Each structure stands twice: as C-alpha cells, then as structure tokens.
Amino acid sequence: MNTSRLYFGAAYYDEYMPYERMDTDMKMMQDAGMNVIRIAESTWSTWEPQEGVFDFTKLKGMLDCAYKHGISVIVGTPTYAVPTWMVKKHPDILSLTHSGQCLYGHRQNMDITHPDYLFYCERIIRKMMEVVSGYDNVIGFQIDNETKPYDTCSERAQKMFVRGLKEKYPDIEEFNREFGLDYWSNRINAWEDFPDVRGTINGSLGAEYKKFQRKLVTDFHKWQAGIIREYIKDGQFITHNFDYEWRSFSFGIQPEVNQFDSAKCMDVAGCDIYHPSENELTGAEIAFGGAVAYALKKDNYLVLETQAQGSFGWLPYKGQLRLQAYSHIASGANSVMYWHWHSIHNAIESYWKGVLSHNLKENATYREACIIGREFERIGSHIMNLKKNCDVAIMVSNDSLAGFEEFPVNDKINYNDIVRWIYDAFYRMNIECSLINSDEKELSAYKVVVVPAMYSAGAETIENLRNYVKNGGNLVMTYRSLFADEQIKIYPDDQPYGMTDVIGATYDQFTKPVDVRLKGRGFSGVDSEVLYWMELLIPGECEVWASYSHKYFQEYAAVVHNRFGKGTATYIGCHMDTESLENVIERVLETADIQKPRIQFPLIRKTGINDFGKKIHFYLNYSSNEISFFNDEIEGKDLLTGKYAGKNENITIEPWNLVMIEEGE
C-alpha cells in the first residue's frame, strides 16, 4: 500500500501516565517531526470497566489532542487482553492448553473460539468504531495485537478440529491410512471415539492440529476485519502487527500463525521488529523481518512496533537509532513507530523503555528521534513506497516448521535456524532476497530460488519446483527437504522425494556428524566443519561440489550440482559453517549470472525504486569503525547532504551511519 508520506511516531497510552501531560507529550512529538501515534489496543478494561459500561473519555482525549497537533492516529482493537469481569463471569474464556488451564493476569490468555469472548469482542469493537468514526485524523485500524491461537485445546476447539477432519476425510479409513494411526493402536474406528489431541504421539496428527490452530487466527482476523469494514471511510486501512519467532528478539518465521493467509483480509501488512543493539546491532533482524512483512502483500508495509531504548542492553549508541530507522525504510517499510513513547512506571514492562525515560524528559534518544523526524520531512518523498525487485527468493513453509517441531534435528537447531542460516549468508554478501510462501506458483521472476529445509511438501509444490528448474531457473535446496508429505508422513521412496533426477543424486542414510569436514573447491579443509546433520549423498551424473573428509564417509557427496532441462539444481546435504555456505552460494551466483557485490558486511547495501522511478541505494555501516569504499557503480545525489556523488570516487561512512544515493541527475 502506497502512502502519501513516511509515518514516524510511537505507541501512546495516556491511560498509563502517572499524571496529566498529554498536551506536553503531543507537543514534544510534533517538535520531533512525529506524525502518527498508535493507541487503544491494550486497555479493554479502561474502555469497558464493567460489563456493558463504556468510558471512552481518554480515547477521545487522545484523538482530540493528536488532531490539535497534526498527528495521525492508528486505532487498535483492544481484544488481546480481557478484563477481569469477563473472566469472573466466564472462567472458561481462559484458554485450556497442553499445559492446563490458563490463569488470569497475563495478556493473550483467552480462547479465541469461545462464543462469549467473541460476543464481547464484537461489542467493544462496534462501540469503539462508533466513537472514532467521526475523527478525520484516524488513518487506519489495527486488528488485535500479535494474535496467536494461544494453544487453544478446549473441548469446543477440538470438536471443531474433528469436524474439519471429517469434511476433509469422509472415509475414516482414508484418515487412518493418511495419518498412520495403526501405530501403537492409535487407530480411530469411529469419529465419536476421537481422543484428546493433547496426548497424541503421532507427529502427523500433532502437526495437523497446529495447522488448525493457525487457521483459527486467520479466521479471527478475517472476522474482525469484516466488522471494521462496516465503519471505515475512504482512505482508511486495516492492518495487524505481525510478529516473529521470539528469542529475546525477533528471529524467524512465526510458528503459530500462517501470516500469508492471515494478511489476505488486510489492506497493508504491519509488523513488530525487535533486535539486538549496541555492539550486537547487525541489521539482519531488521532486514529479515522486513523481507517477511513485504512478502505478505508483496508490497510496502508498516513497522508498527520497534524499539527506541527497548529492553535492557539495547540502549542505542549515538547514531544507531537513526541507522535503525533508515534500515527499516531501506527494506520497504513506510513507517517507523516505537513501542513506546514513554517508559511506564509499573507492571511487567516497566523496564522496556520508550523514547522518553521514566522522568519523561528530553534525552539523547529523543534528540536523535528529532533528527530522524526532520530528515523524514525533508526527504521522505524520495524514500517512501520503495519497490523491491530481488533476483533471489527464499521459500518458507509453516507446515515444514511444524514438521521440525514434531521431528527436530536436535535441541540445538530448528527450522528457523536453517532459514536464518541461509538468509543471513546472503545478507552478509549483500544479496537482497525476497521471501515467498511454499504455495507460490510464479517463480520465473527469480534467477535463484532457495528452499531451506522444506520437510513437508505436496505433489503440487514439488512439481512447481521441478518446472522452475526445467524452464531455466536455478534451485538451491538444503538437507531435510521434500522428506514428508502434507500430513508429515514420510515418503516411501528415494529422497529427496520427486527430485532425485533434478539434483542428480539421492540418499537413504543420514547421521549426526562428529569430526567431519568438507573437501572440494573453495573449502578450507580443516576449517570447513559439518554440524548437526549430514546426509550421505550418492551422486549420479551430477557434479560433486563437496564431499566429506572422513575415514568412513569419504565416498559420499555433501553438495551436488546438476543441470536439468534449461536450469540447474544445487543440493546441500549437510549443515556447514558459514564460510563454507558462502562458498557454495558464490558458485550458485556465478551459475545464475548474478554479480556478487564487492562490499560486504558490516557495510550493507540495499536498493529500491521510488515514486519518481529512480533507484535509491542505501549504504549502511553496522560497525564502530569508519568504512570507505570505491564507488565504481552509480552516480547521483546524496539525499542526506544534497551533494553530488560521483562515479569512481571513494565514499566514506562514519560509524553507525549511512549514505543514501538517488541515481540520476
């Protein structure tokens, strides 16, 4: 979704403030060049303190004050944190999970299938929409907040699950066969005998229930969007703040939500991206999160939450807040919004600090935000709505992620580790990548498609990959791909299933590597380490790019490359160290006629095409050292300084800083 300006702002909660200072806060935001706030999503109990009693005084106050200061507003539905009166009246609104019944206190602890919960949700949404519909500065609406299924395992939810299975498998014999339920007498001979799914030892059934839970989120978002669309006006949008697998920061594909499906009911994708900072700021989490968000609608997205000061240890060095902001924009974002404006003074997130610290006064972070705001106002028209065209795509799969959860490699690595192993290697090499879903049909736009650990794949996906190679594409596939079907049932055939002729090799054995190295062109022998998993590839007519340096496994290939039809396929049969992986990627880039940039991390280059049809090149320095490089590729205007950047000149970038060049006169 294109926007008319870059949005810069923060989440704002007057209801959390220790004293009245709304006008002061909005004036400070206005002075900082902030032009948007996100409000209302967290405090249902403020808007409806007792059942059927509504008080939107603070909500209207924030809208009025924002209007006074020229600030736009995104209103969130407050449905992700239920009030006490609701739970007292309907205790079973709290989710029953694999671990038992949730207790009240934490957010996101409810059963999103509960009819009473849905009744109250609809009522508060409609009451809120009636209040805010008259405000011209409301630009959009956020559905819920980082929605999940919350491991809903109630009797009602499980009955819904069984109904879906009955529709999908009218013949119960087919269901038993597809899921292999004869094992350990798990066979179900009558639907009414279906057991509590929480006890299953069948990985296929466990993964199917996770797929069902993901669909609950898709349906919940679609339901809320339908209500809101009854009220919205032209120019307003619906979004949601999707998040990622959490490892004390945003890391990988969200396992509990099929975000590609869920985003279909929205006008623009939104996301929450948090990342390490200080010496650990690399930009990789910003880039990966942005690639996922851009992929959801194949369009620009909104960063609805990111950190200002953030969690302990994330206090940005001088220049980092600004570098982070431009990193989001360079990935295709049309907004940078902090969670949150003010540090709060009690409760669980008291030390998740906002733009302002607990004294609520100007500080270094605020002053750097002012610099960002002024620059966005000055050059925003040149860097908003940036379109991304990548030669390389990485295919991801929620079903494969669930398959890894049911059948992990070991406790040190999961599906997202493998995805990030691949993505981060391209990132360090300054090759921008699109993210695509496993049901993507049109692959011909990409010179290279990388398929990391696609454990679960059906016939249609496999045929699509075969045709991509046959028609001239360059496929890269990693270990543990195409091993099982859509039900996580292992294919009773040569591996990788349906692709042995494409890669020119097969395997039927794998093991945990111990003191195994790689040998072959470009591998450093003693330093080329094999980790976690190795498949013993038996090569046919293919090229062997790497084999195992090991007394008992040296006859097997580790990496093979094959020509098939008009294209090529490269299969990586083990998890290797990052330097070795980059060696393989470099050879693939040569094959695909993609030029590898000379500059590499910690200097990151990103490119987009702006509304004027001009290329914008971002050069982002993620280090404490000044970096210089010889620019022999582009010439144009340095947007930040206004000076001409000539070709065949040295460009110097200060620590934690950047250069932006708009190509052309």
Side-chain angles (χ1 to χ4, degrees):
M1 186 187 80
N2 284 4
T3 59
S4 59
R5 58 178 172 172
L6 286 181
Y7 287 109
F8 183 51
Y12 185 74
Y13 307 103
D14 179 58
E15 57 270 33
Y16 294 172
M17 280 296 185
Y19 55 88
E20 175 54 48
R21 52 172 286 125
M22 191 191 304
D23 198 66
T24 298
D25 287 323
M26 299 285 184
K27 179 64 166 59
M28 290 180 71
M29 291 181 194
Q30 185 179 23
D31 291 345
M34 290 185 171
N35 54 28
V36 65
I37 56 173
R38 186 173 66 104
I39 65 172
E41 87 286 356
S42 291
T43 44
W44 189 341
S45 61
T46 301
W47 315 134
E48 190 177 6
Q50 291 295 327
E51 181 182 355
V53 177
F54 300 96
D55 184 356
F56 294 108
T57 304
K58 286 185 176 292
L59 175 62
K60 290 186 284 189
M62 288 185 286
L63 289 166
D64 288 333
C65 194
Y67 182 82
K68 172 184 172 183
H69 291 280
I71 295 173
S72 298
V73 181
I74 298 172
V75 177
T77 62
T79 51
Y80 84 113
V82 296
T84 54
W85 57 259
M86 187 188 302
V87 175
K88 182 180 180 181
K89 185 173 182 178
H90 306 282
D92 60 337
I93 276 179
L94 296 178
S95 184
L96 179 67
T97 74
H98 279 79
S99 301
Q101 187 78 49
C102 286
L103 297 176
Y104 185 83
H106 211 280
R107 64 180 184 175
Q108 299 172 308
N109 54 4
M110 63 283 180
D111 181 347
I112 62 174
T113 72
H114 197 293
D116 291 314
Y117 167 72
L118 295 174
F119 168 81
Y120 294 125
C121 282
E122 180 169 359
R123 188 172 67 180
I124 190 66
I125 292 169
R126 291 189 182 280
K127 290 290 184 180
M128 179 178 284
M129 294 301 295
E130 289 168 4
V131 169
V132 305
S133 61
Y135 287 86
D136 292 335
N137 58 331
V138 173
I139 59 171
F141 300 93
Q142 175 190 299
I143 298 170
D144 203 66
N145 180 82
E146 296 181 350
T147 314
K148 311 292 187 308
Y150 316 126
D151 194 26
T152 295
C153 296
S154 66
E155 181 180 353
R156 176 185 49 262
Q158 294 200 44
K159 285 181 178 178
M160 293 168 61
F161 174 59
V162 174
R163 281 200 301 272
L165 290 176
K166 289 172 69 175
E167 292 174 7
K168 188 175 181 180
Y169 301 99
D171 182 357
I172 199 168
E173 291 299 320
E174 182 189 3
F175 167 69
N176 280 288
R177 185 169 54 253
E178 285 297 305
F179 285 80
L181 292 174
D182 285 311
Y183 185 79
W184 280 7
S185 198
N186 275 202
R187 180 180 179 83
I188 300 168
N189 293 309
W191 290 112
E192 56 267 25
D193 295 338
F194 208 100
D196 191 320
V197 74
R198 292 179 295 173
T200 187
I201 49 80
N202 183 286
S204 296
L205 192 58
E208 190 73 11
Y209 192 74
K210 290 174 182 175
K211 184 186 295 185
F212 161 76
Q213 289 182 321
R214 293 195 296 271
K215 187 176 183 301
L216 293 180
V217 176
T218 299
D219 293 344
F220 182 71
H221 282 162
K222 184 178 179 181
W223 174 76
Q224 281 212 19
I227 296 171
I228 293 171
R229 290 205 185 279
E230 296 179 29
Y231 297 86
I232 62 174
K233 299 179 292 188
D234 289 345
Q236 294 178 326
F237 58 79
I238 294 176
T239 188
H240 174 74
N241 55 331
F242 290 108
D243 65 348
Y244 305 85
E245 186 204 359
W246 185 252
R247 299 191 180 181
S248 299
F249 54 86
S250 307
F251 184 79
I253 302 298
Q254 173 54 249
E256 297 183 65
V257 184
N258 186 327
Q259 296 180 344
F260 290 90
D261 285 349
S262 201
K264 289 177 182 177
C265 69
M266 301 165 196
D267 302 302
V268 57
C271 63
D272 296 350
I273 300 177
Y274 295 101
H275 51 83
S277 193
E278 301 181 358
N279 286 338
E280 296 179 2
L281 176 63
T282 66
E285 287 75 28
I286 295 174
F288 179 80
V292 173
Y294 195 97
L296 299 184
K297 305 290 286 186
K298 293 190 175 180
D299 203 352
N300 302 102
Y301 58 94
L302 301 175
V303 175
L304 294 166
E305 289 186 23
T306 191
Q307 68 214 54
Q309 299 181 69
S311 188
F312 183 70
W314 289 0
L315 183 67
Y317 293 158
K318 182 180 180 181
Q320 284 189 341
L321 192 75
R322 178 171 170 268
L323 177 64
Q324 291 160 193
Y326 283 108
S327 299
H328 290 295
I329 302 303
S331 294
N334 272 340
S335 73
V336 176
M337 299 182 66
Y338 300 115
W339 200 89
H340 39 147
W341 168 249
H342 50 280
S343 301
I344 62 175
H345 299 82
N346 56 343
I348 192 170
E349 292 177 316
S350 294
Y351 288 94
W352 193 286
K353 296 184 68 178
V355 176
L356 303 187
S357 295
H358 291 103
N359 63 0
L360 304 177
K361 297 179 180 178
E362 288 190 16
N363 57 27
T365 300
Y366 172 79
R367 287 188 285 273
E368 192 162 320
C370 292
I371 296 171
I372 299 167
R374 287 193 293 269
E375 289 180 346
F376 278 11
E377 288 176 344
R378 180 167 56 87
I379 64 171
S381 62
H382 293 265
I383 57 175
M384 66 186 186
N385 304 323
L386 291 180
K387 303 309 175 189
K388 310 290 289 185
N389 297 307
C390 301
D391 289 329
V392 178
I394 297 175
M395 183 176 285
V396 295
S397 163
N398 270 109
D399 289 342
S400 295
L401 194 161
F404 265 72
E405 290 177 335
E406 297 296 329
F407 301 106
V409 170
N410 56 41
D411 59 357
K412 295 181 180 178
I413 187 170
N414 68 14
Y415 175 81
N416 274 323
D417 289 301
I418 302 169
V419 171
R420 285 294 302 271
W421 174 60
I422 293 290
Y423 182 89
D424 289 4
F426 279 100
Y427 175 78
R428 288 189 300 271
M429 299 170 73
N430 271 314
I431 303 294
E432 289 195 76
C433 298
S434 296
L435 269 288
I436 56 176
N437 198 19
S438 55
D439 62 4
E440 178 74 31
K441 299 293 190 298
E442 184 51 61
L443 303 178
S444 61
Y446 305 105
K447 292 183 178 180
V448 175
V449 171
V450 187
V451 180
M454 189 175 288
Y455 182 79
S456 167
E460 189 175 357
T461 298
I462 295 170
E463 187 63 24
N464 199 30
L465 294 173
R466 288 180 62 88
N467 288 335
Y468 170 71
V469 181
K470 188 185 297 183
N471 295 329
N474 299 282
L475 178 69
V476 180
M477 188 178 296
T478 80
Y479 65 96
R480 293 207 89 192
S481 286
L482 314 189
F483 204 80
D485 65 13
E486 303 101 310
Q487 283 74 45
I488 319 295
K489 184 173 67 177
I490 296 171
Y491 285 112
D493 208 335
D494 294 336
Q495 297 287 353
Y497 178 73
M499 295 290 283
T500 56
D501 56 337
V502 178
I503 71 169
T506 188
Y507 70 95
D508 55 24
Q509 292 185 310
F510 44 83
T511 190
K512 176 183 176 181
V514 178
D515 196 25
V516 181
R517 301 291 186 271
L518 295 173
K519 58 183 179 181
R521 192 189 96 180
F523 296 101
S524 56
V526 67
D527 295 325
S528 297
E529 188 175 8
V530 180
L531 306 161
Y532 311 125
W533 179 275
M534 59 185 288
E535 294 165 355
L536 306 181
L537 299 178
I538 304 168
E541 298 298 320
C542 61
E543 295 179 51
V544 176
W545 278 8
S547 55
Y548 298 116
S549 178
H550 188 278
K551 180 178 180 180
Y552 297 106
F553 301 132
Q554 57 188 330
E555 65 188 277
Y556 297 105
V559 181
V560 296
H561 179 79
N562 190 48
R563 291 206 164 272
F564 182 79
K566 298 178 182 178
T568 70
T570 304
Y571 188 86
I572 302 172
C574 63
H575 197 104
M576 58 188 70
D577 64 278
T578 55
E579 185 177 343
S580 297
L581 177 60
E582 290 176 11
N583 173 41
V584 174
I585 291 173
E586 191 166 345
R587 294 188 70 175
V588 171
L589 296 176
E590 291 173 5
T591 301
D593 196 27
I594 298 174
Q595 185 175 358
K596 174 189 168 186
R598 284 192 295 275
I599 58 174
Q600 296 192 44
F601 183 81
L603 185 60
I604 291 296
R605 185 185 76 177
K606 286 182 165 290
T607 302
I609 299 174
N610 68 13
D611 286 342
F612 305 107
K614 294 185 176 183
K615 276 190 176 182
I616 305 293
H617 299 271
F618 296 77
Y619 296 90
L620 307 150
N621 180 6
Y622 293 102
S623 79
S624 291
N625 301 312
E626 182 179 274
I627 294 180
S628 295
F629 68 98
F630 184 68
N631 170 37
D632 61 352
E633 296 181 328
I634 61 171
E635 55 186 346
K637 180 181 178 181
D638 184 328
L639 289 176
L640 290 171
T641 65
K643 297 179 180 178
Y644 179 76
K647 197 173 179 179
N648 297 321
E649 295 180 358
N650 281 319
I651 293 178
T652 299
I653 306 178
E654 296 176 353
W656 309 114
N657 210 326
L658 75 150
V659 166
M660 284 185 294
I661 299 175
E662 182 180 57
E663 275 195 36
E665 298 296 329

